[in-house]
Amino acid sequence: MKDELIRKDLKYVWHPYTQMKDCESLPPVPVARAEGVRLYDYDGNFYYDTVSSWWCNVHGHNHPAIKSAIKEQLDSLEHVLFAGFTHRPAVELAERLVAITPPGLAKVFYSDNGSTAVEAAMKMSFQYWQNTGKEGKTRFLSLDMAYHGDTVGTMSISGVGLFNERYRPLFFDSFKAPTPYCYRCPCGREKGKCALECLSRAEEILKENADTIAAVVIEPLLMGAGGMIVYPVEYLKGIWELSRKYGVHLIADEVATGFGRTGKMFACEHAGIEPDLMCLSKGITSGYLPMGATLATEEIFRAFYDDYDKLKTFYHGHTFTANPISCAAARASIDLFEEEKTLEKVPEINGKLVSFLEEMAELPIVGDIRSIGAVGAMELVKDRKTKEPFGMKERVGDEVYRRGLEKSLLLRPLGNVIYFFLPLCIKGDEMDDVFRRAGEVIGSVAYLVRSS
Ligand SMILES: Cc1ncc(COP(=O)(O)O)c(C=O)c1O
């Protein structure tokens, strides 16, 4: 079964973010089933899902409550168009989302993934200014190492060079502020010993261009695909204050950080900020089904609310908007946060994660460690003093990935950054086992690098 699956996969399938030639030596792992934090292949081998299946699984695989919500919904309504029609799962979920997100967010616009949730927020902000007579506010400010998705619009405001550079001719122009990447400070300062000079640069851009900027778009506190960069709460707070001062929207992209991953339900809560638009996906259904949501303030919503012939309608939507089964999964997942006291588990996860990272920091190839909530990362470098990174040819992150699989770990790297994006259901003994195995893998790669 397994060999046949792989043969047909390589014959018919094109995988995302994958150089398919690599599959000649390392074909994709066929997963037969999953349970809790473990993925099982057809031979009964397991892999710890240390990256929550691309940052979305929250309560564990095969959770009976989410499964039964899905099955129950399937028995009554699988899908219906969402223009002119509505249904209970979408209405109830919207009410729940408004209740648990930061104050001010009042309306929920559904879509089906993270990129579309951000794209919808950008279009809402842009059109808000058109509808309210400030037609010049058409541009966006984002961070130069941000990741907001893979559509051309969201790539235009992203900055992860490896993913984006090739498509640059397709992008629209946007403003980029330096990333508060403390390990490699763009302002040449030392981690923890600065006056947030990077924030001053963002302010300069806003001051000079506020009349052409619609919104600032930001991943609150944790920049995922940029390298699991964790930045200071003061920076996030500062960006929000600047957005108020210069009259631009703040779009909080909580696609990765939402639903408990940073220790609070939403990362914005750490800074006590109230974004104008918030983008959700991934963990919204605990990773069981695709879903995106863009939340907007009443003020933004009202700018679109008028007679039909005034042409203020938000002409945007996707076929699977508010899919009832996805909504049912999301409702069940939000219920579980209360029933299983999910957020209360995060401090223990963070404690173990930090101890492990501190241990790893002793290795000569570990240049930086960073963490927030259930997310932790280490950046591997060739030289700790100069912070020289490993090159494309060395593929040190990929070596960790390959060795990880041999030790039952799914350690998918982001270039030279090895990270853990743990499901919030992970238990203490499971973490001990994960970190013991990961320590062996990373230690062996450090040894290999030093002896080569
Ligand atoms: C912060 C952030 N925004 C947007 C996206 C895009 O989400 P999707 O892959 O569902 O389109 C991602 C995906 O990783 C993300 O991390």
Side-chain angles (χ1 to χ4, degrees), residues 76-94:
S76 56
L77 175 66
E78 83 298 337
H79 188 62
V80 65
L81 79 167
F82 206 59
F85 286 78
T86 193
H87 48 79
R88 212 166 97 170
V91 174
E92 287 180 0
L93 175 62

Side-chain angles (χ1 to χ4, degrees), residues 55 113-116 118 147-150 219 225 253 255-256 281-282:
W55 320 350
N113 64 70
S115 305
T116 56
V118 179
Y147 180 81
H148 296 293
D150 270 353
E219 293 159 271
D253 176 355
V255 166
S281 188
K282 292 190 184 280

